[in-house]
Amino acid sequence: MKLTGGGLCHCDNHLVTGDMPMNLPVVGGHEGAGVAADVGPCATEVVVGDHVVLSFIPACCRCRPRARGMSKLCEYRAAIMAGPQLDGTRFHGRGQDIGQMCVLGTISEYTVVPILSLVKVDKDVPLDKAALVGCGVTTGYGAAARTGETEDG
């Protein structure tokens, strides 16, 4: 994945301050968008050149909790912090493994992400703005609608 847009949110700050414990070293960032530069053999939903937004919570649509509409209990969610990719691969640098925040690591020029974390978007959607949908827009809306109990109008 060649990243072309991204954002920093408060969770990234928690990574820096240590308020969000993770195994270090880790490539931070969980909000991004880009263009598929390569795809694995099992990735049939996306082809090279597709524009995608990265989702910080993998959408498996396969596990029992997801099938029951309980996405917050997704079995893949446990893998999203700073562990290896869902297939066990990792970033590497200076002779050691490096984790990826939410299996994304968007504070880099290129990244490898699971197909479960990609949402294909139309090529006319500006990726620098679409990147914000991966966390900032959805979290902001959720906070306003759920916690803030805002109403229409």
Side-chain angles (χ1 to χ4, degrees):
M1 167 73 53
K2 170 136 177 72
L3 294 165
T4 59
L8 292 173
C9 97
H10 200 69
C11 291
D12 298 297
N13 184 58
H14 288 310
L15 180 66
V16 172
T17 63
D19 293 334
M20 181 183 291
M22 285 195 191
N23 296 327
L24 299 176
V26 63
V27 176
H30 66 281
E31 183 174 65
V35 178
D38 197 5
V39 295
C42 297
T44 58
E45 301 90 339
V46 175
V47 299
V48 172
D50 279 350
H51 290 201
V52 296
V53 172
L54 284 68
S55 171
F56 72 97
I57 297 178
C60 79
C61 303
R62 297 179 181 120
C63 70
R64 178 172 279 161
R66 285 267 185 185
R68 293 176 37 212
M70 302 168 68
S71 59
K72 66 184 175 200
L73 299 177
C74 175
E75 294 169 7
Y76 289 98
R77 189 171 182 176
I80 68 169
M81 293 318 282
Q85 285 296 328
L86 301 176
D87 68 356
T89 59
R90 301 184 70 107
F91 273 102
H92 302 284
R94 298 184 182 157
Q96 64 180 333
D97 290 340
I98 302 172
Q100 293 169 258
M101 184 176 188
C102 299
V103 295
L104 300 178
T106 60
I107 303 177
S108 61
E109 185 177 359
Y110 287 89
T111 188
V112 176
V113 299
I115 193 71
L116 303 176
S117 295
L118 298 179
V119 178
K120 191 172 163 180
V121 296
D122 290 335
K123 289 187 177 182
D124 61 342
V125 173
L127 292 175
D128 61 333
K129 294 174 181 54
L132 300 176
V133 176
C135 178
V137 172
T138 52
T139 302
Y141 172 80
R146 306 267 188 234
T147 307
E149 299 178 5
T150 58
E151 297 177 9
D152 290 344

